[in-house]
Structures are given as structure tokens and as C-alpha cells.
Amino acid sequence: MEILVKKYAQKLVDAGLAAPSGPGAPLVGGLDQTLVWNTTAPEIPMLEKIFQHLNINSLVFLRPRFPYDLIIRFLAGRALKSGGAILPRDCETRTFLHDLPVVDQWDIHAIVQALKQRKIVIIQGNARKNGFLAPAVIAPGTVSPEQGFVHISSVCFACFVAFFNNYLAGLKTGQHDPEMDLVFDQVLPFLQNGVPASPDLMHGPFSREIDVYTAMAQAGRKIVDYGLVDSYFGNLSCCWNNTLYISQTGASLDELTGCIDPVPLDGSSTAGITASSELTAHLETVARTGCRTILHGHPRFCVIASMDCDPAQKAACAFSDKCHTHCPVPRHIGSVPIVPGEVGTGPFGLCNTLPRACDTSNSVIVYGHGVFVTGKIDFTQAFSSLVAVETLCKNRFLEQVRHLRHA
Amino acid sequence: MYGWTGKIARIDLTRRKIAVQTLSPDTCARYLGGRGMGGFFLQPAATLDWDHPDVPVCLFTGPLTATAAPTSGRCHMVSISPLTGLMADASLGGKIGVQLKRAGWDGIVITGKSDTPVGIDISDNDITLVTAKNLWGMTTDAVHQHLNPKKAGLACIGPAGENRVRFAAVITDRYHAAGRTGLGLCLGAKRLKYILVSGTGRTRVKDPEQLKKARQDICRLTAASPALMGRYGFSRMGTGAMYDLMDNRHMMPTDNFSATWFGPAKELNAAAYARAYSPKKHGCRGCHILCKKISTRTSAGTAMPEFETMSHFTALVGLQDIDLVTAANQRCNSLGMDTISAAVTLACFREITQKDFTPASLLALLDDIALDRGEGKSLKKGAAAYAGSMGQPDAAMAVKGLELPAYDPRGAYGMALGFAMSTRGGCHLRAYPISHEILRKPVATDRFSFSGKARIIKIAEDSNAVVDSLIACKFIFFAAGLEEYARVFSAVTGQDVTAQDLLAAGERIYYNERIINSCRGFDARHDDLPARFFTQPGTGTSQIRVPPIDRAAFLQAKAAYYAVRGLTRNGLPTRTKAEQLGVPWKSL
Ligand code: SF4
Ligand SMILES: [Zn+2]
């Protein structure tokens, strides 16, 4: 437990979600027979009470770092005025977290009540009331602090996407307000950091199995370094010697060693049962396009852009409450198609839409979810496509905002 | 009430009397249904011998049964085990649960003993005891054919349950075995051959709209689950999909748990069965996963073996023939015996006698066990009793008398702790750590470490006690959680509960089982694993080391578990904790 609590605290810092020290440093607790923390902090006595009220074995507490603090404070404030929860719009968060409850005080009963129902709680309320600095997010786990880490990363990602989505939609419909403008202006410097040039990755074709594993681990690490996924969602695969090597479900892309499943293309083994939930989509795409590599990430501006639908079109659309599964319009950003589809293999699963779209484009965006890119030989081409799509989406977004605000 | 019918039938086979009892809302809320309710009705008989007429066999549905809640079609049977001496319980698949609920019953509690073979026929409110003399001696297939239940649900026993095989199973709706802990013998001892149920009612649901929404949330999660709905998941490949994983992880119990890797395994996996039998999907009522597989080619209509059976009838007993596995599975179901216990008992026999099996000799022994002939006379008592009678108790790979399933504990330490602590003996399903140790859900844990496992196991036991009581199928929890099921529960019953409230009920249900077992003389001495696991390594590679389990680390985890569970250092429940949880206290 000592190792785990430290590991996930550090991961939050590395992901840019937490400060390394001070009141913004993450607190991670793990309980077996005794409770251990990654550090000491004035909030801990209160957090320990949560362990007494809930049947859990771990907990993560985070005051998110800029710009997530501003964004979450804004969304949580609005949520408190409506139903008391932020409703994420991206598919993955919606699938796994459903909604994000907000409480308005640093109060054990309110917090416990919310955590009895959902995997996370956001604490908002008047800044510094009772000396408490809001916003903060708490996420417990029943197996490992990794659960709290994943859920908190998802909250930050979902709120980021939700804010910019709402903002863009608000600008288009005239429903934005000065408060939103202010948050946007404050966050803008963060958006202007350019994406670095694509890294130098191992070159294919690969002649040995070990090279496949190494190249995958390297590409996975870089996706995380470049911020092209939230927490560790996302996956990648490499087809070699009639076998698809694919990252395992829930595998941290920056720690892929030992977490790659070899899946024979002839179906002679079921070892792929622990492979990523998108295994079917990968297999079909490989079969249709003959590509060798696939990368799937959740670059945020791709996700935001994928959900940007013309208000007039939306108002007239019969599927406007089911865009992520039923969107009937062939939409593109540049030449990159956007397809609907849920995680996995259900009737509306992206395995039904994505592979076909890959026939004509080596980058495909899945509505409200992320991007899949294919490569012919190794991960080099795929990685630069991933960076290129995200850059395109981000520039387009900033341009739209600039334009709409001037108008 | 919504969800529950609030009504159970008490069936006394000695006096041939049937009484209706109402359940208070409080009892329902505290014990939910299924396993929880069964434990509640069993507790007063906790000190009696397993075959005492006053020991009930309880069959309970749960508040979610016969609603749109995903995987809610199962029901749960509870009694005292003739195999282990502990509380006995097992989950029943098929459609009998749904039929019982639709007939208007939350459950039935069967006591007494009939002089002559009997069947219970339930049709809505009408419950009749019917002579089953003509069915006595029949296999479960023959009973099914004879009674031809059509839409009705049927649970029955085969010759094994009649001939006092201590690991006799109850078979429901032809394909579904409630295998573990010898419940087939519990029915056999009461001379109860079958229970046939049909119902026409509906479960009252408080908020159908909310239920629909909660159902969608769960279905979305299952669609995203590789283990359930993925290309190699249970829905497409059956539970046999686990076989390759156990092979790759070097944790396949081989040669009676003396090794953990079986050379020919690659040819004996689920894909091999798919090629040979082109199975189609089948499942329990109310389930969209449909993990059961039925052959459409060779011996069409035969159920494909589950993972445990595939593994134990190959690696464990030293055979490599998928047709034999299918035949052994079919034979066990038909005779009404648990495949896991049967295979482990045979593996124990092979180790002690040093005689290898042929497919024919193995099938013949299965017959001998069920029909009480030859070597079968001693093997029918299970591995522990057999090994004991041969003066080699260490050759029995069982915990508290229940033979171990197909996960070698040297390859997963949560599993090791789960086996040892389980209230029904060597069982993987009480804590089901395979979820995080192997399938990486909700997140992966280090399978070669006890770190954090005591509390993880305790929480998972509570959670699975809830699952067995609601009722839902354990498999769906590879994808969904109690968070989602609490919403389902609230929609069905109208009671505003959270996942944590349900877990509190789970803890109560589990503690009650500890109380029952303590009344039967079980304590810390019994919460242990066979010595082999602490002294002999498994079969590792340069990448995967499979050392013996460190005994000191195991004992430390066990002590931590007792502390977390609220037991004494001797593994016994306390009155204070029982009162705190609101469980009636009983002691020896
Ligand atoms: S998953 Fe399988 S065992 Fe579970 S309810 Fe569905 S069919 Fe039955
Ligand atoms: Zn994704």
C-alpha cells in the first residue's frame, strides 16, 4: 500500500493535474489493516472519517491544478444551481462515471452521502468557507488507489471537454455569458502551449517479437507524455506474424511492459479476453486496411471538435439526444471523418462504424470519444497523424472562438 | 411491497403440510433475498446434523428476480453441507428463479423428510406434493424429458443425490448445475426428487422508467467489457475463455495441484471446442450475456463444459481429450454431481493409487461414484474423506472439505486468501478475486502479493453476498458495480439505497454465515490451505516465477482479514460485532 499511494500521487503530479507540494498536492490513502497516506496534510483527519463511513480501501483527494481548478469551479458552481451534478458529455466518462455530483461544503455527511452513490464527489462552495479551499475532488476505491487516480483524471478530462464544448455552443447560440468569457480568457494561455514535434520512435518493419513489444511500450509512453489521453484510457496494437499484439484492458499506456496480449489472427486462442475493449475494432481495421499499427488516444480538442454540431442542424435532428450512437450525418474535420459509436461491441459499438471509416482515412475521430490512427509499418506515421489531428482540431477551435467573439 | 412478494411457502415433507408465511419489510431489507434470506432461515438450525429433518433446504429468489434488471434470473439454494459440514449454498441458473417469483413466492423453505420419493409442484399459489416413485433412479436428463416442463422451471437431482454422493448437484432446466457443496444430497436425503415451478404473475416494480435507465447504464458497461462481450469474452466463447489465460499465467492446476502448467493446454482451449462443436449461445432467463454454450454439431444439444470442468478434466487428472471432457461433463450433469469435486476427488485417487486414467476408466469411475459401486463407494465421500481414509490426508486438494476449483492459489494470492477464508470452503466465487488479479477489473492488482488483499477480499465477499441475494449474476460484475445495481434496486423496490447500504447488508449476510459455521465447530484452524501450496513451487518460467506461498505472509494476511472482518484471532464471530451489524446471535 505504501508503494501504491506514493505511485498514484506522483502520477497525478506527472499528469499535470496536481501540484507537487502545498495545498494543491494530492493526498492518497490506502487501507488494509492500517491506513497509510502518501504525505501529511490538515485535510487528512476529515478524509479518515470517510474511511469509517464507507466500505473502501483507498481514497484520492485532489485540488486540481490550473486550468482544471478554474474550469471545475465554474462547472460545479453552475451544477449547484441546477441539479447538483455535472453531466459529462464525452462517451467514456458518461459510460463509467455517469454523472459528477457536487456538494457545496467541506462536510463529512454531504461528502459521504454523495460517495455512497457515485465514484467521485466534487467539493465546491464558497472558497475559503471554513478555511477550505475549493474546488476539490475525492475518489475512493475498493481495490486500489489506482481507481481513485483514474476517476479523478477522468473528472478533469470530462470537465475540460464539457466546458469548451458548452462555451463553443454558447457562442454559437448567443447563450454564453461574461463569466464564461472570463474563464475562457483565464484558461487561454494554457491552450496556447504548442504541441511538440512528433518524437523519434522505433522504426519498422520489426523483425523480432521483442521489438514489437518494445515499440509498443515506447509509443504508449509517448502518447501519455504528449497528453494525448486522459489517465490511461486509450489503446494501441501492432500486427506482426499473424498475431495482433494489443494493449490489455485498463493498461496504463505509460507502463505497457507485461500488459500486452498477443492475439492470433486465426482465432485459435482466447488469450485476448484481457485485451482492450476495442480489440474487435482493431482486428477488423487490420483485416480491412492491412495496416500494421493502430493508435487510439483521447486528445481533448478532437473530442471537443467531434461534438461541435451546427445549432440549426442539431435543432432539426431527430437523433440530437443520441449523437454518440446515432449521428446520421457524415461529418468531417478537414478530411478526417467523425463516426458515432460506443465503447466496445454492443449494437451501437464503435466496432461497427470505425473499421469502415478507416478504409478511406488513416485518421478517424469517434464522436465524443477520441481518435484512431493507423500506420503502415510502425508507429511513427500513426503518431504524427495523431498529433496532426489534435493540432488541427485545436487550431480550428481557437479560430472559431476568435471569430465568434469578434462577431 | 415492490420487488418482494412478501410471501414464502414453508413445506414440511414429513407431515406433508404447506404453510404460507409473510415476510416483514424489515427482514427483506436486512437480508434482501437469495443467499441472505436462505442464511437467515438456516440460522436456527445451525447446530443440527446436516440430515436432521429440521434442517431446511431454502430456495430463494431476490427482489430483482423477474424484473428487467440484467442477469436477475437466477435463484439461490441454502442448507447444511453433507460434504463440508459448513453452510451449503449454490446459485441456480436457468429459469426456475423467474418462475418461482412469478408464481408469487420470494422463496420456499423445505423441512422434514418424505417416506417415499416426492416432487414439489408449484403452479402460482398451488403447491402440491406429488409422488416421484416412478422418477427415483432416473438421471436428470430423463427427469427433464419425463416431466417435460416447457415454460416451467425444473430443479432435480440424479442418482448421485439418491445414492448419498456428498458432492451431488442440483440440476436446473437441463443445462444448469448448482454444483457445489452437495445440495443434491440435501434434497436426496429428504427424498425430494424435483421441484417444478410455473408462475403467471409479475414482479411489482416501483419505477419502471428509472429501471429502464439503470438497465441501459449496465448494458453499456457490459458492452464495453472485453471479458463479457468482447470477441473472446464469455458471451461468445463461454467461461472456457479463461482456459488460455490460466495457461498463459501458469496457474492451471495440473496433476492434482502438483504443477501449474499443462503442456497440451493450447490444444484444449475454448477455440478447440468451438471448432469441434460449433456451439450456440444459451443462458439464464433475463440475461443478455448468455454465457452457456450448447453443441450444435457432435452430440448436438449437449452442454459444453464450463471452464472449471475443462481444466480439471484435462490438466488436473492428466488427460488431453476434449471429447472426454464433454462426455464427463455430460455424465456428471446427468448423474447429478459437481464436476469440480468429482474431478478433484479423481485426481486425488490418481495421486494416491499412482494409476493413470484412460478416458474410459475415468467415465467408468464417475458412474461408480454416482451409482455407489466399487471404488465409487469411498470416492463418493469427496477428496478429503477419501484421502483421510487412505491415510494420506495431504493428497486432498480441498479447503474445509470443499474441493478446489481451477485456479492455482500460488498464482494469485487474493485467490489463496479467498479460498482459505470462504464460508463455504474452497470456493473461488465468494471473493472472486480473479476479477482484479487476472481480468484487470475494476483495476489490476499484483497477483503475487498479499498487500492490501485482506480488505479487498472482505469487501468483495460482502459485495458478492449482495449479488447472490439481489439476485444478479457474478459475471456481470466484471463490468458493472453495486453503484449501478443500487439504482436498479431503488427503481424496483422504491427504497432509496446506495451501494454502501447494500454492502452493509452484504456484511450482515456474510457475518451470519460465519456465525452458522462457528456453531458447527469451525474456527481459525480450518481457514487454511493444503500444505502443498506452502512447500512446493508451481511450474514457473524465467518470466513468471511461481514460488510456494510464503506461509508467514499468508498468516499475516489472515490475521489482517480477521481484524477487518471483526472476528477474534481465532476466527470466531463476536456477539458485539453481531449486535452492531444487527445479526441474531447464536453460539455453540
Ligand atoms: S452470464 Fe451466464 S450464468 Fe450469468 S446469468 Fe447470464 S447466462 Fe446465466
Ligand atoms: Zn477510448
Side-chain angles (χ1 to χ4, degrees), chain A residues 1 31-32 54-56 98 116-119 143 147 248-249 251 268-271 275 277 284 342 344-345, chain B residues 220 223-224 226 229 231 241 244-245 248 269 438 440-442 445 451 455-456 458 483-484 487 498-500:
Chain A
M1 270 297 179
L31 172 67
D32 195 21
L54 302 177
N55 224 333
I56 55 174
H98 312 301
K116 279 183 164 187
Q117 319 211 33
R118 286 298 187 219
K119 296 183 183 79
V143 171
Q147 290 164 285
Q248 292 182 341
T249 178
S268 58
S269 157
T270 58
S277 12
E284 303 263 319
E342 284 183 320
T345 54
Chain B
R220 209 177 305 126
M229 306 308 269
R231 176 168 295 221
D244 283 321
L245 276 192
N248 289 349
N269 59 10
I438 302 296
R440 314 178 53 85
K441 292 297 168 193
T445 59
S451 170
R455 185 170 295 268
I456 294 176
K458 185 266 181 191
E483 177 190 343
E484 286 79 21
R487 304 234 154 185
T498 66
Q500 291 290 329

Side-chain angles (χ1 to χ4, degrees), chain B residues 71-74 93-94 176 228 234 239 282-292 306 472-476:
Chain B
T71 71
S72 57
R74 302 178 68 93
H176 307 261
L228 296 179
F234 286 8
T239 56
H282 180 78
C284 305
R285 186 58 57 86
C287 177
H288 65 291
I289 301 168
L290 304 176
C291 72
K292 270 239 155 272
E306 301 288 338
C473 175
K474 293 213 178 58
F475 294 154
I476 206 162

Side-chain angles (χ1 to χ4, degrees), chain A residues 273-286:
Chain A
I273 186 174
T274 45
S276 153
S277 12
E278 307 309 355
L279 170 67
T280 305
H282 282 245
L283 283 169
E284 303 263 319
T285 304
V286 166

Side-chain angles (χ1 to χ4, degrees), chain A residues 47-104:
Chain A
L47 297 175
E48 294 197 340
K49 286 193 201 150
I50 300 179
F51 279 93
Q52 288 159 18
H53 283 85
L54 302 177
N55 224 333
I56 55 174
N57 85 334
S58 53
L59 181 147
V60 180
F61 170 92
L62 176 74
R63 286 197 180 88
R65 197 174 185 172
F66 172 81
Y68 305 100
D69 54 348
L70 294 183
I71 291 172
I72 293 177
R73 183 176 301 134
F74 172 80
L75 292 176
R78 294 274 156 115
L80 284 175
K81 288 183 200 138
S82 48
I86 300 173
L87 307 176
R89 309 204 16 216
D90 65 293
C91 296
E92 292 231 358
T93 319
R94 199 157 49 168
T95 300
F96 296 104
L97 295 182
H98 312 301
D99 56 33
L100 315 176
V102 182
V103 298
D104 65 355

